[in-house]
Structure formats: C-alpha cells, structure tokens
Amino acid sequence: MADADGVTIRLAELLRHPEDLDKIPALRSEFTRKKAAIDGQLKVGLKEQLEITQSGMGSISDGQRIVNQIKDEMMKIDKLCAEAQNMVRDFPNINVVSQIHRNFSQVEDMKSNIDTFEGKLKELEQMLEEDQHDLQNQPNLLNVHYGLTQLRDIKDDAMDQIKRSSDTSLETTLQDYFARLDEVVEIFDDHVGQACMNLIPLVLEDNKSMIVRLALIIEEEEKSDMKVRALQEAQREYKNLASHFQSMNTGHKHLRGYKEKFLQAIEFYAAAQFEQTEGIFMEDPEKLEKGFKWFFNDLNTVKLGMVGLMPKKWKIYKTYTTIYHKLMHDWLIRLVDDDSTSPVQILCIINWSEKYYSKMAKLGWSPEDLQPQVLDDREGELVREWRQLIVNAVDEWMDRMFTTDRRAFIDRKPDTLENDPNGYFRTHTLSDMWRMLREQTLVAGNSERTDVIEGVIEAMFRALNRRQAQWAKLVDEESSKYKSPTSDQEGLQSLQDWLVALANDQIACIDDNEESGQLSYLTRFKRDFETLVTPKFMMQANTEIDSIRDGYVDLGTHCITTFVSLIFIVDFRTTMPDFFTQRWYTEYGMKRIVSTFEDYIGDYSEVLHHSMLDIFVEELADELLVRYLSSVRNKGAKFRRSEPFTDKFKDDVLTAFGFFQKFPDFNLIKQKWRVVDYLVRMLEADKIGIPPVYESFKREYWDVQMSWVECMLRSRDDYDRGMLSSVKAKSGEVYVERGVETIMSKVK
C-alpha cells in the first residue's frame, strides 16, 4: 500500500498539468532506458558477485583443508613429543635443562637488544633528521624502516613476555623505556604519509626510486599484517594447540595498517583537490570541466607512470580509479542534495555526467567499470527538478510582481505610474516582467535540452495567461466600487489613469512598429526561444502566442470599456434617466454628454496610445448608442403624437455626429447609429405600418430583442396589445440568418 501511495505521489509530481500528458512517451522512454541500465548493472554486479563468491568459497575450502592438515601435523608432533618423553631415559630432566637453556638464550638476546636499543634508536633518529631536509627523496627511508621494524619487534617481544609472566610490575617501566620509540615511529609514519600524499607529484618528477622504496615498505608491512591476521585467527580457532607453541610467536605481533593508511592518503590527496575544485565551481559553475582537469591528469599519470612501480597484485590503476570515482560520485550527490545549490550549478552537474564518462572512456574505463553510476542514474529526475526550479522561479517572480502591482493599483498613489518616451501612461513592472522572462529563457537555453526549454516556455505561457486573467478580475473588482449610486467617488480619476496605463501596457506587449524596427515585448520573447525548440513545439507555440496576443487585445479593450462604463455610470448618472421623458425636450442632455466626451479626450489623448484612443472613441460611441436606445426603459419615457420627438431625435444625432466626425472611424460610427432611424420609424408609424417597419428592422438587425421592442412600443402613447401581437406575429413569419452581432445585441 505504501509503495502504491509512493507511485501515486511520484506520478502527481511528474504530471502536474494537462500539457504534461504529452510527455508520457518521453517519460516512458526515459524510464525504460533507466531500467535497462539498472538491469545491465545488476547483471554485471551479479556476475562479479558470483565470481567473487565462487572464488571465496574455493579459498575457504582450500584454507580449511590446509588448516586441517596443519592441525593433523601439529597433533602428530604433539603425539611424537609425548611418545619421545617415554622413550628417552631421564627426559624430564633433559627437558628442564633444555628449557633453562632456551630461557637463558632468550634472556641473553633480550639483554643484548635492550643494551643496544638506545644506540640504534638514536641512529635512526639521526637518519630521520637527515630525511627531514630532503622529503622528496628520503634516502634513508628503507634503512629506517628496517631498523624500526627490528626495534618494534623487540618492544613487542618484551611486552609480550612481561604480560605472560606472573609478575607484571615491570610493565610500566618497559612502557616508559619504549616511549621514545613511539615518538620516532610517529615521525617515520609522518614521512611515509607525506610520501604517500605526494605520489602523483613524485611520478611527474620521475622520482622512481622514492616510489619503489615506498612501495616496498608498504608491501612488506602488508605481508606482516597478513601473517599477524593469520596467527590471530589460528589462536582464536585453536587455543589449546597454540598454547604449546608460544615460542613460535615472535616478531610482528600487532596490525600496523600501512596499506590502509596508504589508500587513505590517496583519498586525502584527491579530497584536497576536490575542495579546491568546489571553490572554483561555486564561484563560476561554467569552469567545472576546467576545475577537474587534475582529476583525469592524475589517473593518466598513474596509468602511464605508476603501474610498473607498484606490486601487480595491488592493481594500482584500478585502485586509484575506484577511489577517485567514489569521491566524484559522493561530491556530486552531496551538491545535488544540497538545497543551497543553485539551478545553474545543478545544470552544470547534469551536463558534467556525460562529459565525465566520455573522458573516463579515453582512459580505458567503461560505464560498467565505474560503479556506482556517478549521479545514481538521477539525470532524468535532476532535469525535471532543474526545469521545475526555473518554472517555480518564474511563478514566484510573476506572483511577486502581481502582488506589487495589485497593492499599487488598489492604493493608487501618485508615483505609481510613469510616462514612456512617447508620453503614454505606463506601469512600473511591465518591463521588469519581460526582462525576467528573457533571463529565465536564456537560463533554460543554456541547458541545451529541448525538453527543459519547452517545459519552461509552456510554464511562461501559463503565467502570462494567468496574469491577464488576474488583471481583468482586479479591474472588475475595483471598478465595481464606483458603480453603486451611493458610492464615494474619491479616487475615481486615479482609477481611470490606471485603466489608461494598463491599456497602454497591453499594446506595448503586442505593438510591432515595422517602420521604426521596434518590436513588441511578445515578439522579442518569441524570437528568444524559437531557435531553441523543436519545429513541432513551435507550431503549438505559435498558436499559444496568437492566443496570448488576443488576450492582450481583449484586456486592453476591457480596460477602455470599463473606463467608458464608469463615465456613464458616474458622470451621466443624472443625465441618462431624462432621455425620452418630458425633460428630454427642454434639456440639452446630448450636448452635456458630448461636452464631457471632449473633456476626457482632451485630458487623455496625449497619454493614451493612439490605437487605444481609436478604441476609446468607438467605445464611447457604442456605449452612448446602447444607453440611448435603452432609454426607452426610463421611468416616464413616453412618445406622444403631438410632441416633436422626431426633431429631438434628429437634434441628438446631429449633436453626437458633430463630436464623432472629428475622428477617423466616424463612417463606422455613423453606420452603427443608423439604428436610431429604425427606432424613429417604429415610433412614428401608424399601427398598421408597424409590422412592415419591424420586418425591415429585423432583417437589418437580426439580433434585435423582442423585450426591447415591446418596451419601445409601450412607450408610444397609443400603445395597445394588438400592436404588440402584430409585431410578434410578424416576428414569427420573418426568417433571418444569424450573422455577426450588431449593436442591437447589446440593447436589452
């Protein structure tokens, strides 16, 4: 159950968005490749393990056979000794005399060794002092090792005898006596350690003598340690027999571990180099390959210059490679798992894996030889994580920017807007947003992986669409505060300024000026990534770019539409309800409206983008027309046969045209306002003539709504039910094809 939950969570991470379903074939291919690699490693590992196991079992069998033979021989010897004692007359006395003689000889040898111990130790100290001044060659290294080995054996024999004696009171005295030996051994070990740490430089300096002498010492110590281990193992297994042969236990008695220290020195030397490389990498991740130049040079040096100087059984080249590879693996995995590792550094590590194996192949090593895999086969996972880091960075930037924009939009402080070189109102963060997207696109492009780049670009598309939706929602929320009849009008002008700035921002995102060669933000964004992705993805991206471009047009238009709506709601709150009532004939409502339009055009024509200004004028005309036609619903609206409503309609239309004719789209506006003629004809026609007029109206404006027609008919002073019934009947008879929406679709 836990495994199933883990798989579900993993799938949820990989498939976060509907677009990720397109990546399933790539993921399947990647997992198949990874499984094949793991299966191959398991097969190789299983084969090696089987060979090792078989070899080990053979060695154990041989060892067991030899041990049994030794045991049998020792038992024969013990039996012969017992029999010999009975065969020789006075054997007990002879045995005692022999033991006394042997003990006397051992005491005599020990006394001689103790008497000469101090002199030999001083001589060795002198030789070490000489080597201290020439650590690169250490001419006395072998002699010192030989002399120290003898003195250490003397110490071990003395300490062993005192521990086996019944009187151990002299043990402390002996330890004090041999204390200086430990100090000299420490100095010798330090010399050996420095030589081990400098093996690579010694090879480069062609100091073969030093290397061979060092190898001889390590090899000799390795053999001695093997004997000690064998003796210790025999003593544990055959305690009874071993007690009869204490005299055989002479010389080297403790493990000294020089071979292990030798291997540790190789690791310490490389680890120090890794620390230097890490400093270079942290400062400039692009220098990772250069920083590891020493790594491959060292292995090549071992391959060419050290193999012939070391014992063959050590397989020194394989030993070095194993140590170096493990350090490389551990170093990379540590950085990968470190939360402070930057995305750029992660990318360099991902790209380094392939280069690493390529360089190791030149040194004669295949990926199967280098275990574990240098990144634990996590390249695919790291790529996704690295891509997600960029995506998260984009989302965080966009969220942070919109939070800043939202606060500025709601507070609407005086310094929150700026003027661009053309004098148009603009917000502060738009250029920052596109700059950030470009930077993150370049970061993704540096990966040279289309899956990364395309995933990042898709996330940017989503972020841009989300930002458009957020702005549209925020504009609606803020504008709604002024739509109530009792709402406070403070801050309305700053809101209108912001609406103009937002509309200008949308145009800046998509406005390509071919004459000046100035490209829009969206076009430059497209050019940044189109050479980095596949043709297939670019086809999808073009569709997405077109959708985003349309979204900017829609959002810019929405801001202008909201601006116009606020003008009518706030400025004409008391003017529009008078239309088509008795006050309509005596008041100059249309002139007041046109005068207000002129004020707004005068205030904003210099700070509103020229393309948005055309939309602004068109929206003013459309909104005025819609509200003008909808005024038939005004309370008190009534058209009487005896009143000059026809002339008043004409006066209103001419007044409106007098304002709009100054703008390029006047012909389009004039065409839309022709609908007023149908309204007048419907109002002035006699009852019999209304259905034919409605039929013409319906054929010209297919989307005219019956609810508005009914309201308009009810505003006639001669209205009756028959009038409405005849229009509905005619509506049922007239068939019109649906086409593009007309202005009447907005008149409810």
Side-chain angles (χ1 to χ4, degrees):
M1 186 65 183
D3 291 342
D5 292 340
V7 171
T8 303
I9 294 172
R10 183 63 176 156
L11 285 174
E13 293 177 352
L14 294 175
L15 306 174
R16 295 187 175 184
H17 308 285
E19 296 84 354
D20 291 337
L21 294 175
D22 297 334
K23 303 174 186 176
I24 289 179
L27 291 173
R28 182 185 294 113
S29 175
E30 179 181 338
F31 288 135
T32 302
R33 178 187 58 79
K34 187 180 293 186
K35 180 180 180 297
I38 293 174
D39 289 343
Q41 293 175 11
L42 288 175
K43 288 180 180 178
V44 173
L46 182 60
K47 181 179 178 182
E48 292 179 352
Q49 192 64 38
L50 183 60
E51 292 175 352
I52 293 171
T53 303
Q54 290 175 341
S55 175
M57 291 176 66
S59 299
I60 291 173
S61 298
D62 293 342
Q64 187 66 43
R65 178 175 53 80
I66 293 171
V67 169
N68 289 334
Q69 290 177 354
I70 294 173
K71 181 180 178 181
D72 292 341
E73 292 299 325
M74 293 180 72
M75 292 177 67
K76 289 179 182 179
I77 293 172
D78 188 50
K79 181 179 180 182
L80 288 173
C81 288
E83 292 175 350
Q85 292 177 14
N86 297 326
M87 292 172 62
V88 179
R89 184 183 299 175
D90 297 328
F91 179 80
N93 296 329
I94 296 173
N95 188 43
V96 170
V97 172
S98 175
Q99 184 67 36
I100 292 172
H101 181 269
R102 186 165 53 251
N103 290 343
F104 179 78
S105 297
Q106 290 178 353
V107 170
E108 190 176 41
D109 291 341
M110 181 60 67
K111 181 179 183 304
S112 176
N113 290 334
I114 295 298
D115 290 341
T116 59
F117 186 89
E118 189 68 24
K120 291 180 180 179
L121 188 60
K122 287 183 179 180
E123 185 178 343
L124 295 175
E125 283 183 306
Q126 181 62 36
M127 286 191 288
L128 283 173
E129 182 67 25
E130 294 174 3
D131 285 354
Q132 181 66 34
H133 300 292
D134 189 9
L135 289 174
Q136 290 297 107
N137 297 297
Q138 300 190 44
N140 300 313
L141 189 64
L142 278 178
N143 293 332
V144 172
H145 174 256
Y146 179 75
L148 282 179
T149 300
Q150 288 183 322
L151 296 184
R152 294 170 84 172
D153 289 346
I154 291 171
K155 174 190 172 183
D156 289 346
D157 288 341
M159 297 302 297
D160 185 58
Q161 289 181 26
I162 200 69
K163 288 179 180 178
R164 286 190 284 109
S165 67
S166 57
D167 182 10
T168 59
S169 60
L170 297 176
E171 183 175 355
T172 303
T173 303
L174 278 177
Q175 288 176 345
D176 294 340
Y177 183 79
F178 292 125
R180 283 188 59 243
L181 173 62
D182 295 335
E183 296 174 1
V184 175
V185 169
E186 185 175 345
I187 297 173
F188 172 75
D189 288 350
D190 184 59
H191 285 193
V192 172
Q194 291 187 50
C196 293
M197 289 287 289
N198 290 319
L199 272 177
I200 299 296
L202 288 172
V203 175
L204 295 174
E205 294 169 4
D206 200 27
N207 195 342
K208 296 180 180 178
S209 172
M210 179 66 187
I211 298 171
V212 171
R213 284 183 281 123
L214 179 65
L216 287 173
I217 292 172
I218 303 299
E219 184 180 25
E220 188 62 30
E221 290 292 335
E222 181 183 25
K223 291 178 181 178
S224 297
D225 282 351
M226 291 176 63
K227 292 178 182 178
V228 171
R229 289 192 186 93
L231 185 57
Q232 290 175 347
E233 184 68 23
Q235 288 176 339
R236 283 195 297 269
E237 293 292 332
Y238 306 102
K239 294 181 180 179
N240 295 330
L241 284 175
S243 63
H244 292 295
F245 300 94
Q246 291 290 342
S247 61
M248 296 174 60
N249 189 14
T250 59
H252 200 139
K253 293 181 176 59
H254 303 288
L255 295 173
R256 294 172 184 170
Y258 276 80
K259 179 64 180 297
E260 289 73 18
K261 294 175 183 177
F262 170 74
L263 298 177
Q264 288 178 357
I266 297 174
E267 184 174 345
F268 290 156
Y269 173 80
Q273 300 276 64
F274 268 94
E275 289 182 6
Q276 296 179 12
T277 301
E278 183 169 345
I280 296 173
F281 176 68
M282 290 302 175
E283 183 176 340
D284 185 358
E286 296 297 330
K287 294 183 178 179
L288 180 61
E289 183 174 0
K290 182 178 180 181
F292 271 125
K293 187 176 181 180
W294 64 268
F295 184 96
F296 305 100
N297 287 343
D298 283 3
L299 293 180
N300 192 50
T301 299
V302 173
K303 180 180 180 182
L304 299 178
M306 193 183 296
V307 173
L309 305 178
M310 295 286 179
K312 289 185 178 180
K313 64 179 180 180
W314 285 5
K315 299 180 180 178
I316 194 64
Y317 185 38
K318 173 66 174 176
T319 299
Y320 258 89
T321 301
T322 301
I323 293 173
Y324 273 45
H325 176 74
K326 182 179 184 301
L327 289 172
M328 177 67 75
H329 166 271
D330 294 347
W331 185 76
L332 292 176
I333 294 300
R334 176 173 62 81
L335 289 178
V336 164
D337 292 336
D338 190 345
D339 294 336
S340 63
T341 304
S342 69
V344 176
Q345 293 167 341
I346 291 292
L347 173 62
C348 290
I349 290 173
I350 294 170
N351 293 335
W352 172 244
S353 175
E354 183 177 352
K355 295 178 182 178
Y356 172 75
Y357 280 107
S358 175
K359 292 179 179 293
M360 292 300 285
K362 294 178 181 179
L363 292 173
W365 300 109
S366 67
E368 291 74 18
D369 297 327
L370 303 170
Q371 299 299 329
Q373 203 274 345
V374 72
L375 284 176
D376 290 340
D377 285 318
R378 292 169 57 184
E379 286 87 346
E381 174 190 348
L382 292 174
V383 167
R384 287 190 295 273
E385 290 179 355
W386 186 79
R387 180 180 63 196
Q388 194 59 41
L389 286 174
I390 302 178
V391 171
N392 291 341
V394 170
D395 290 341
E396 289 173 4
W397 269 94
M398 296 293 277
D399 291 342
R400 191 158 51 245
M401 285 182 181
F402 186 73
T403 299
T404 301
D405 289 338
R406 178 185 177 86
R407 187 182 304 110
F409 183 56
I410 293 174
D411 296 342
R412 293 194 284 279
K413 296 180 180 179
D415 59 345
T416 53
L417 297 178
E418 61 184 10
N419 295 88
D420 67 9
N422 297 317
Y424 302 146
F425 281 164
R426 296 282 294 278
T427 62
H428 287 303
T429 59
L430 183 68
S431 59
D432 295 335
M433 179 194 75
W434 288 106
R435 186 182 305 109
M436 179 274 296
L437 292 179
R438 185 173 191 275
E439 291 173 353
Q440 296 302 321
T441 300
L442 292 176
V443 170
N446 289 336
S447 69
E448 299 180 355
R449 299 181 65 101
T450 55
D451 54 344
V452 171
I453 301 168
E454 291 172 2
V456 170
I457 298 303
E458 287 177 346
M460 290 179 177
F461 287 157
R462 293 192 296 269
L464 291 172
N465 284 319
R466 184 170 64 251
R467 183 177 173 86
Q468 290 176 355
Q470 289 172 330
W471 268 121
K473 181 180 179 182
L474 186 57
V475 165
D476 291 340
E477 290 174 353
E478 286 300 300
S479 62
S480 65
K481 298 177 182 179
Y482 297 92
K483 293 183 178 181
S484 172
T486 59
S487 60
D488 186 3
Q489 305 308 312
E490 183 180 357
L492 176 62
Q493 182 178 349
S494 60
L495 173 60
Q496 292 170 330
D497 291 346
W498 262 89
L499 292 174
V500 168
L502 289 174
N504 290 335
D505 280 355
Q506 312 319 306
I507 293 301
C509 291
I510 60 175
D511 184 31
D512 294 316
N513 192 329
E514 297 181 358
E515 295 180 359
S516 64
Q518 183 176 356
L519 301 178
S520 66
Y521 287 119
L522 188 60
T523 299
R524 279 180 281 175
F525 171 61
K526 177 182 176 183
R527 290 191 176 184
D528 286 339
F529 73 79
E530 63 183 350
T531 59
L532 306 175
V533 299
T534 61
K536 179 181 178 182
F537 178 82
M538 199 60 217
M539 293 177 62
Q540 302 173 356
N542 286 330
T543 302
E544 194 67 38
I545 289 289
D546 291 340
S547 175
I548 292 173
R549 181 178 285 108
D550 293 342
Y552 283 125
V553 173
D554 293 342
L555 180 56
T557 303
H558 181 65
C559 292
I560 296 301
T561 302
T562 302
F563 190 151
V564 171
S565 175
L566 289 173
I567 292 175
F568 278 88
I569 291 173
V570 177
D571 294 72
F572 306 144
R573 181 173 292 170
T574 59
T575 301
M576 295 308 299
D578 289 342
F579 278 95
F580 307 154
T581 65
Q582 286 300 307
R583 297 187 63 182
W584 177 46
Y585 294 98
T586 58
E587 298 290 337
Y588 298 95
M590 187 61 74
K591 288 184 178 181
R592 287 199 299 272
I593 290 173
V594 167
S595 177
T596 303
F597 285 174
E598 290 175 343
D599 292 340
Y600 275 107
I601 294 296
D603 292 340
Y604 288 99
S605 60
E606 299 297 324
V607 296
L608 180 62
H609 192 277
H610 60 85
S611 61
M612 283 288 103
L613 183 62
D614 295 339
I615 294 176
F616 184 45
V617 172
E618 183 180 354
E619 288 296 323
L620 286 174
D622 287 356
E623 188 69 13
L624 176 59
L625 179 57
V626 169
R627 291 180 179 268
Y628 188 70
L629 295 174
S630 300
S631 293
V632 297
R633 297 181 180 276
N634 285 343
K635 185 178 181 180
K638 187 67 69 175
F639 297 97
R640 297 177 176 83
R641 308 293 94 193
S642 59
E643 294 176 340
F645 61 84
T646 303
D647 294 337
K648 188 60 177 175
F649 272 117
K650 181 178 180 181
D651 182 62
D652 284 348
V653 171
L654 291 176
T655 300
F657 284 179
F659 170 74
F660 291 117
Q661 67 184 0
K662 297 179 292 185
F663 301 100
D665 293 335
F666 173 62
N667 288 333
L668 177 62
I669 294 172
K670 185 177 180 180
Q671 189 68 20
K672 290 182 179 180
W673 274 69
R674 287 180 59 248
V675 70
V676 177
D677 181 57
Y678 280 102
L679 170 61
V680 174
R681 289 170 60 187
M682 290 285 289
L683 291 174
E684 66 181 2
D686 56 27
K687 294 182 180 181
I688 298 176
I690 289 177
V693 174
Y694 171 75
E695 181 178 356
S696 299
F697 196 177
K698 181 70 173 178
R699 294 187 183 282
E700 186 75 18
Y701 299 91
W702 65 270
D703 47 3
V704 60
Q705 300 186 37
M706 183 57 66
S707 60
W708 177 82
V709 173
E710 179 180 354
C711 192
M712 178 268 297
L713 292 176
R714 289 180 181 276
S715 67
R716 291 175 55 121
D717 62 343
D718 59 347
Y719 169 77
D720 59 34
R721 291 185 178 180
M723 188 184 297
L724 179 60
S725 298
S726 63
V727 169
K728 288 184 177 181
K730 178 59 69 174
S731 177
E733 297 172 1
V734 177
Y735 171 76
V736 292
E737 292 185 1
R738 291 175 174 270
V740 180
E741 288 187 351
T742 71
I743 191 69
M744 290 308 298
S745 65
K746 301 179 181 179
V747 181
K748 308 300 180 182

